[in-house]
């Protein structure tokens, strides 16, 4: 802000862009605080998930995504299944 004010006081587009970035950052921070620091909201509360895992309704596993083809290749390794037990 100081840089724009001191060196580019008449460059309206840059000031508008800066204000837009600041507003977007504030909105992201407030959403993060609402989600207790988590980037994405939880689909189900942890208590329900834990009860579902214990009852066998849900399965727990690890999501593995190919870093080179992330949109095309991914798989879930279930705990207790396969050659490796992951957590």
């Amino acid at each position: 802000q100081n840089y724009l004010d001191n060196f580019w006081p008449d460059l309206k587009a840059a000031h508008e862009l800066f204000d837009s970035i600041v507003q977007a950052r504030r909105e992201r921070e407030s959403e993060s605080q609402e989600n207790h620091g988590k980037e994405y909201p939880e689909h189900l509360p942890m208590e329900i998930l834990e009860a579902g895992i214990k009852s066998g309704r849900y399965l727990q596993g690890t999501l593995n995504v190919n870093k080179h083809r992330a949109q095309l290749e991914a798989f879930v390794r279930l705990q207790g299944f396969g050659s490796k037990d992951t957590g």
Side-chain angles (χ1 to χ4, degrees), residues 2-44:
N2 290 337
Y3 175 79
L4 290 175
D5 290 340
N6 293 328
F7 295 102
W8 302 98
D10 299 327
L11 191 57
K12 184 178 179 183
H15 286 274
E16 290 174 356
L17 177 61
F18 178 80
D19 292 339
S20 174
I21 292 169
V22 168
Q23 181 180 356
R25 186 174 180 193
R26 286 182 185 147
E27 288 174 5
R28 177 181 257 181
E29 288 173 356
S30 69
E31 288 174 1
S32 178
Q33 288 174 355
E34 290 174 5
N35 295 328
H36 305 290
K38 297 176 183 170
E39 188 172 350
Y40 300 102
E42 295 177 355
H43 293 282
L44 293 172

Side-chain angles (χ1 to χ4, degrees), residues 44-74:
L44 293 172
M46 185 59 73
E47 301 81 32
I48 293 175
L49 290 175
E50 289 173 347
I53 291 170
K54 287 181 182 177
S55 70
R57 181 174 182 182
Y58 301 126
L59 300 174
Q60 185 173 4
T62 303
L63 175 64
N64 294 289
V65 180
N66 182 330
K67 67 179 176 180
H68 302 290
R69 298 172 46 114
Q71 301 221 351
L72 300 174
E73 294 181 14

